[in-house]
Amino acid sequence: MLIQGAQERSVAPAGEVGTARPWRTRLIWGSIAVAVVVLIAGQLMAVHINALGPLTSLSWDYVGRPKSATTPWAGFLLALIGVSWNVRVRALAAAVGIDVVFVIIRAIEGRLFTVGNGPTIVLTALAVIAAVRWTGARRETALRTIALGALLILATKVGEIWLDITAWACPTVLDPYAELADHALGNPSWLVGQALDAAGPVPLGVVRWVYFELPVAAIVVAAWQLRGVTAGIWPRHYLVRTFLTLGVVGPLFYVVFPVVGPVLAFGPEGQGFELADVWPNIVPALPSSVDSMPFDGITPRNCMPSLHTAWALSLFIHSRRGPLWLRWGGAFWLVCTLVATLGLGAHYGVDLVAGAALCLTVESVLRDPDRGWDRGRAQMVAFGIATFAGVLLCVRFFALPMANYPLPFGVAILGVFAALAFTFYRTWFAANDSVKVDPLSPAQRADDGTARLSPVPD
């Protein structure tokens, strides 16, 4: 964390805190109302298209077979950051115990193994206890991290039905455009797919695990950033905010630019809808024209932009302020995620460029809120939006020229993105010459030894 000036880090006057409470209360209740409306709307839509609704999926987390074993535990562990060690140990033991009971019942009944009921049940109980029995800063901090954990779980439930909606709403996909545009980048999905096949089962298993367990790394980074919240020290900006914002904004473009990925449109998993079974061994020949292609009504159109790339890049960015082990971990997760997105046939190269541009744009909107909307932030956000929109427009309207003239288009796309990355670094990192210290060290405490309550940078 960065050292702040004494005036900036002083505790807010009592009058200011009191005036902020009504606004915060209205925001909390408004957010709860919006969440309830979204969950109900998602459930109604699920009934309409005969899919699994978010409320049904949530009920399975309590008494059925959770759809995801990782997400409930990720949200639960995130919530535990805001409570004391004694409460953490007891809550963790209760969650593990409940999961063990459910696992035994499933084994007796001959059902598939999974976990996730325990953390969902204990997270709910913890929220009730914190709201009813605790008071003051302890209650506020606990409810804040519990809300983050619950929001992560609920956002996943809403995201699942949204993916079903993309398949229902978009009977055709734009994979032929993305495949042609990828010639400008050297057909990276085909190249990395061949390399991963040649590397053998161990590298394949590693990148596959990293790809599907991205929440694990996110919780590690978030836990490091939020480790001081029980002492009243909240960072101004942290990874969870970026993750959730990307999860809201990114999927909107799935219905604008529906794409299913090379392993489905050009590979062995197309279930008869693929144009050709050639991925990753043979790059399709250049056609004389390009058009959208029909696909089934159940496969999510969730490739453009690549949110795995966006999330992994945001994780990498937020790990830069951490210790050496965290920085190396963030770099490892980013590299493995990029390899997996391409090598598993889930994405085209242009998906990754769009996802990375979206990440840098969203991060620039949220980062360092005390800075305000100065010229540097405004330029960076505008540049990011232009880059993101430019990639989508080029793929949609210039796919054939990109394939026929790959060198100039490839240099242009990579050059613009490199300029965007440099602008991001210059805006948020290059000018920062402050000394980094642990926010829980004596240098970050008040004169009387108590932790300061003002937020600190990420």
Side-chain angles (χ1 to χ4, degrees), residues 151-203:
L151 188 59
L152 179 64
I153 296 172
L154 295 178
T156 302
K157 302 300 182 184
V158 174
E160 290 169 355
I161 183 57
W162 179 253
L163 293 182
D164 291 329
I165 291 175
T166 65
W168 169 78
C170 305
T172 61
V173 295
L174 301 177
D175 284 75
Y177 293 86
E179 187 275 326
L180 283 176
D182 244 24
H183 283 261
L185 303 178
N187 303 106
S189 182
W190 270 257
L191 294 176
V192 179
Q194 294 174 18
L196 205 55
D197 284 346
V202 174

Side-chain angles (χ1 to χ4, degrees), residues 97-454:
I98 293 173
D99 255 355
V100 169
V101 172
F102 273 90
V103 167
I104 293 175
I105 294 175
R106 290 190 188 99
I108 294 175
E109 296 179 349
R111 290 185 287 165
L112 295 176
F113 170 85
T114 191
V115 294
N117 303 96
T120 305
I121 294 172
V122 177
L123 177 61
T124 305
L126 192 61
V128 174
I129 292 172
V132 174
R133 298 184 57 184
W134 297 350
T135 59
R138 181 192 186 194
R139 177 178 182 267
E140 181 177 347
T141 300
L143 288 178
R144 192 169 173 180
T145 56
I146 289 171
L148 289 176
L151 188 59
L152 179 64
I153 296 172
L154 295 178
T156 302
K157 302 300 182 184
V158 174
E160 290 169 355
I161 183 57
W162 179 253
L163 293 182
D164 291 329
I165 291 175
T166 65
W168 169 78
C170 305
T172 61
V173 295
L174 301 177
D175 284 75
Y177 293 86
E179 187 275 326
L180 283 176
D182 244 24
H183 283 261
L185 303 178
N187 303 106
S189 182
W190 270 257
L191 294 176
V192 179
Q194 294 174 18
L196 205 55
D197 284 346
V202 174
L204 177 62
V206 170
V207 299
R208 185 185 296 274
W209 182 82
V210 167
Y211 183 78
F212 288 107
E213 300 301 334
L214 183 62
V216 174
I219 291 302
V220 172
V221 175
W224 183 85
Q225 290 182 316
L226 299 173
R227 70 197 185 282
V229 297
T230 54
I233 302 174
W234 280 86
R236 293 193 188 96
H237 176 49
Y238 43 92
L239 178 64
V240 179
R241 299 176 71 222
T242 304
F243 252 59
L244 292 175
T245 304
L246 286 171
V248 171
V249 176
L252 298 177
F253 294 94
Y254 293 164
V255 295
V256 176
F257 207 105
V259 178
V260 295
V263 73
L264 292 164
F266 296 94
E269 298 183 16
Q271 303 294 327
F273 288 91
E274 69 275 7
L275 288 180
D277 186 359
V278 294
W279 184 90
N281 298 314
I282 303 173
V283 177
L286 296 183
S288 57
S289 62
V290 60
D291 200 357
S292 58
M293 58 179 286
F295 213 78
D296 65 31
I298 59 174
T299 301
R301 279 60 163 151
N302 60 339
C303 287
M304 177 65 84
S306 168
L307 285 190
H308 265 86
T309 298
W311 283 323
L313 180 56
S314 68
L315 189 150
F316 171 80
I317 292 170
H318 282 263
S319 68
R320 297 305 89 195
R321 297 299 191 195
L324 182 62
W325 65 267
L326 193 67
R327 297 198 301 271
W328 276 103
F332 170 80
W333 223 269
L334 175 61
V335 171
C336 287
T337 300
L338 295 179
V339 171
T341 54
L342 296 171
L344 299 179
H347 290 277
Y348 304 91
V350 288
D351 303 340
L352 274 63
V353 176
L358 178 64
C359 169
L360 298 182
T361 305
V362 168
E363 184 67 27
S364 295
V365 171
L366 299 176
R367 199 172 188 85
D368 194 4
D370 289 349
R371 174 172 172 168
W373 278 85
D374 60 1
R375 182 177 180 181
R377 186 196 298 272
Q379 288 180 339
M380 176 61 212
V381 172
F383 193 5
I385 293 175
T387 302
F388 178 77
V391 171
L392 265 64
L393 291 173
C394 281
V395 175
R396 180 61 181 84
F397 296 105
F398 298 100
L400 273 175
M402 292 175 73
N404 287 312
Y405 305 98
L407 184 58
F409 276 99
V411 170
I413 290 177
L414 296 179
V416 169
F417 178 74
L420 178 68
F422 175 75
T423 303
F424 180 86
Y425 173 79
R426 185 187 61 188
T427 302
W428 302 111
F429 288 90
N432 191 352
D433 55 0
S434 299
V435 180
K436 292 165 61 178
V437 299
D438 192 316
L440 302 183
S441 68
Q444 290 283 82
R445 297 181 180 273
D447 295 338
D448 61 357
T450 59
R452 296 193 184 274
L453 300 180
S454 59

